[in-house]
């Protein structure tokens, strides 16, 4: 009533202001624009990573559009109760911080089995150091290619350190040092569906600290303005270099800088329509240069060949023939031929009789490499067929 506030009223007002600030400016939430930017960055990076993983496992890899949400450790452990492989990716250049990629244990077993030359159907019962080394190498290549894609998006060089992999039972006790950036605080969880051939149909997750997620958003949204600033700086530097480049062509004649011997060589070359770099445009022939189309007198003679002597020593002919005596040739016997349409051939069945163009008892053809050389008749030698040569075919010239 007297215009003075009691201590209780002051405390009530302060508590009301604190609660209003917390509800309106909660730092553990992302705006729709920030979620869209994080989703776009993750989508492009994982698309590149899927291509890299395909080259390692030789199986079709599909990673679907990501789902971005704010999560915490309790919610994460409720969704992933089974042992999972946590892969820490640390950025050493371009970005400060790290993110975590979470894969299911069974998925890691199949991926590493494929990388080691297996078929992925019978993976190892337990993960060994060899499997952890293999999955770290896979993630190193996958996230390395993702960092390259991110570099082009954010217009700065981004590089990662070799990833570290650990098998964590999220339902049990976990060393806080391995996930210190995520336990007890909110973080960004990006969920993907991943399929590898017919072997894997699962989900993977990527965790970003809130600070890193907001830094990526700021870099992503401010990339265009930075590029425009770079473009504005470049034109101001160009006029400085122009006088230096054009000065020699204005002050020094081109022909006077060429030695007399080289000048005479230039004069002897025909004009091709465009000047060479640093040479004058020669629209007219220079003095002492022969006009095109004028040829000096040339002594032209017909070519004379030595007469060919067809006579060859018979002994030499016999020697040449002996060189090919051991060459094998294919000998076939043609009993007869006929022509049929496709419809008639499709009607063939066991018992079908095909009439040939040769009469019974008529000599059959003996072919050598599909060339007719003789005719003969069929004989039976014990249990095999044979051919008795009755005529040698002489080639008609």
């Amino acid at each position: 009533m007297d215009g003075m506030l009691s201590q209780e009223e002051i405390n009530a007002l302060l508590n009301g202001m604190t609660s209003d600030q917390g509800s309106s400016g909660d730092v553990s939430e992302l705006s729709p624009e920030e979620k869209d930017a994080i989703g776009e960055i993750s989508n492009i990076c994982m698309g590149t990573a899927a291509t890299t993983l395909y080259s390692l496992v030789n199986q079709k890899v599909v990673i679907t559009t990501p789902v971005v949400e704010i999560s915490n450790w309790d919610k994460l452990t409720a969704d992933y109760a089974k042992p999972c492989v946590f892969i820490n990716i640390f950025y050493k250049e371009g970005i400060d911080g790290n993110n975590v990629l979470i894969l299911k244990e069974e998925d890691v077993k199949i991926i590493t089995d494929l990388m080691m030359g297996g078929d992925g159907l019978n993976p190892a019962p337990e993960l060994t150091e060899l499997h952890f080394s293999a999955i770290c190498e896979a993630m190193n290549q996958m996230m390395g290619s993702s960092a390259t894609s991110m570099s082009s998006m954010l217009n700065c060089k981004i590089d990662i350190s070799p990833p570290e992999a650990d098998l964590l039972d999220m339902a049990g006790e976990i060393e806080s040092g391995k996930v210190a950036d995520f336990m007890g605080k909110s973080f960004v969880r990006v969920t993907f569906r991943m399929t590898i051939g017919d072997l894997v149909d699962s989900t993977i997750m990527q965790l970003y600290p809130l600070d890193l997620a907001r830094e990526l958003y700021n870099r992503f949204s401010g990339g265009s303005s930075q590029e425009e600033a770079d473009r504005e700086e470049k034109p101001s530097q160009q006029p400085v270099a122009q006088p230096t480049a054009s000065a020699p062509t204005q002050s020094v004649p081109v022909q006077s800088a060429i030695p007399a011997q080289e000048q005479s060589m230039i004069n002897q070359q025909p004009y091709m329509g465009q000047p060479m770099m640093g040479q004058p445009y020669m629209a007219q022939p220079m003095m002492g240069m022969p006009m095109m189309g004028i040829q000096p007198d040339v002594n032209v003679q017909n070519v004379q060949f030595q007469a060919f002597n067809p006579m060859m020593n018979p002994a030499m002919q016999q020697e040449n023939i002996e060189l090919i005596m051991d060459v094998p040739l294919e000998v076939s016997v043609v009993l007869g031929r006929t022509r049929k349409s496709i419809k008639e051939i499709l009607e063939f069945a066991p018992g079908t009789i095909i009439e040939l163009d040769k009469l019974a008892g008529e000599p059959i053809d003996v072919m050598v490499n599909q060339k007719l050389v003789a005719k003969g008749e069929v004989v039976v030698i014990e249990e095999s067929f044979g051919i008795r040569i009755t005529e040698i075919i002489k080639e008609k010239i």
Side-chain angles (χ1 to χ4, degrees):
M1 297 296 293
D2 57 358
M4 300 293 292
L5 295 177
S6 64
Q7 185 64 41
E8 290 79 6
E9 291 173 332
I10 295 174
N11 293 338
L13 288 175
L14 292 176
N15 291 333
M17 293 176 61
T18 305
S19 61
D20 291 341
Q21 291 177 354
S23 60
S24 61
D26 191 355
V27 296
S28 63
E29 292 294 334
L30 290 178
S31 65
E33 293 79 8
E34 291 174 329
K35 288 185 178 181
D36 291 342
I38 297 301
E40 182 66 20
I41 294 174
S42 300
N43 189 32
I44 295 176
C45 292
M46 278 300 168
T48 308
T51 304
T52 304
L53 184 59
Y54 163 76
S55 64
L56 296 175
V57 300
N58 199 25
Q59 293 278 341
K60 182 180 179 181
V61 179
V62 178
I63 299 180
T64 60
T65 305
V67 177
V68 183
E69 59 183 334
I70 296 294
S71 185
N72 54 47
W73 192 256
D74 294 335
K75 186 177 180 180
L76 182 66
T77 54
D79 295 340
Y80 263 56
K82 296 181 179 179
C84 303
V85 176
F86 272 58
I87 303 169
N88 273 287
I89 297 102
F90 297 92
Y91 295 98
K92 65 179 182 179
E93 185 176 356
I95 296 178
D96 294 329
N98 70 304
N99 63 53
V100 171
L101 197 66
I102 303 178
L103 301 176
K104 292 182 179 179
E105 182 182 12
E106 293 300 322
D107 299 342
V108 173
K109 291 179 181 179
I110 294 175
I111 292 174
T112 53
D113 184 64
L114 292 172
M115 292 178 62
M116 296 176 186
D119 55 7
L121 299 175
N122 299 301
E126 294 183 359
L127 294 176
T128 63
E129 291 297 329
L130 184 61
H131 294 90
F132 284 113
S133 298
I135 197 62
C136 283
E137 177 60 26
M139 292 301 110
N140 187 32
Q141 296 190 30
M142 291 173 60
M143 302 314 294
S145 61
S146 298
T148 303
S149 299
M150 192 181 298
S151 300
S152 61
M153 282 188 294
L154 304 184
N155 198 25
C156 67
K157 182 180 179 181
I158 298 176
D159 197 6
I160 63 171
S161 299
E164 300 177 359
D166 292 292
L167 181 64
L168 301 181
D169 186 2
M170 301 179 67
E173 297 182 359
I174 301 177
E175 297 181 12
S176 60
K178 296 181 179 180
V179 288
D181 294 334
F182 303 96
M183 294 187 68
K185 59 183 72 174
S186 298
F187 50 82
V188 179
R189 180 172 72 172
V190 187
T191 307
F192 306 86
R193 180 188 174 192
M194 179 181 68
T195 60
I196 302 177
D198 298 329
L199 302 173
V200 174
D201 188 352
S202 181
T203 57
I204 60 175
M205 291 191 297
Q206 195 170 14
L207 309 183
Y208 292 96
L210 281 171
D211 294 340
L212 178 58
R214 289 197 171 94
E215 181 183 355
L216 291 177
Y217 168 74
N218 293 332
R219 295 281 190 91
F220 184 77
S221 60
S224 58
S225 61
Q226 181 65 30
E227 292 177 359
E228 293 175 357
D230 293 340
R231 294 193 192 102
E232 292 176 358
E233 293 178 359
K234 291 181 179 179
S236 62
Q237 298 175 0
Q238 290 180 358
V240 179
Q242 287 179 357
T244 305
S246 59
T249 58
Q250 296 176 359
S251 60
V252 181
V254 177
Q255 293 185 4
S256 62
I258 303 175
Q261 183 178 1
E262 297 181 4
Q263 184 66 37
S264 61
M265 295 176 63
I266 293 174
N267 293 339
Q268 295 176 4
Q269 297 178 356
Y271 167 64
M272 302 303 293
Q274 293 292 339
M276 297 177 62
M277 184 71 68
Q279 300 297 329
Y281 188 91
M282 295 179 291
Q284 299 293 333
M286 298 177 65
M287 185 172 294
M289 180 176 180
M291 296 290 292
M292 293 182 61
I294 301 177
Q295 298 290 341
D297 294 337
V298 179
N299 185 13
V300 180
Q301 297 179 357
N302 294 330
V303 179
Q304 297 180 0
F305 297 98
Q306 184 178 1
F308 175 71
N309 184 9
M311 301 300 295
M312 185 177 293
N313 189 351
M316 184 177 296
Q317 290 183 349
Q318 183 66 26
E319 181 181 355
N320 292 339
I321 292 177
E322 290 178 356
L323 294 175
I324 60 174
M325 285 297 185
D326 295 333
V327 177
L329 300 175
E330 180 182 355
V331 179
S332 58
V333 177
V334 180
L335 182 61
R337 291 183 174 88
T338 188
R339 287 179 177 272
K340 297 287 184 181
S341 65
I342 295 178
K343 178 181 178 181
E344 293 172 330
I345 292 175
L346 293 176
E347 293 175 353
F348 283 177
T352 301
I353 297 176
I354 302 175
E355 184 178 356
L356 303 178
D357 58 355
K358 286 188 178 294
L359 300 176
E362 187 177 352
I364 61 176
D365 298 334
V366 180
M367 315 288 290
V368 176
N369 281 3
Q370 305 301 322
K371 182 177 179 61
L372 179 63
V373 297
K375 291 184 176 292
E377 58 184 7
V378 179
V379 296
V380 177
I381 304 174
E382 296 180 353
E383 297 181 358
S384 301
F385 284 108
I387 301 297
R388 179 186 291 116
I389 301 297
T390 58
E391 180 185 358
I392 300 296
I393 304 299
K394 295 183 179 180
E395 183 177 2
K396 297 180 179 180
I397 302 176

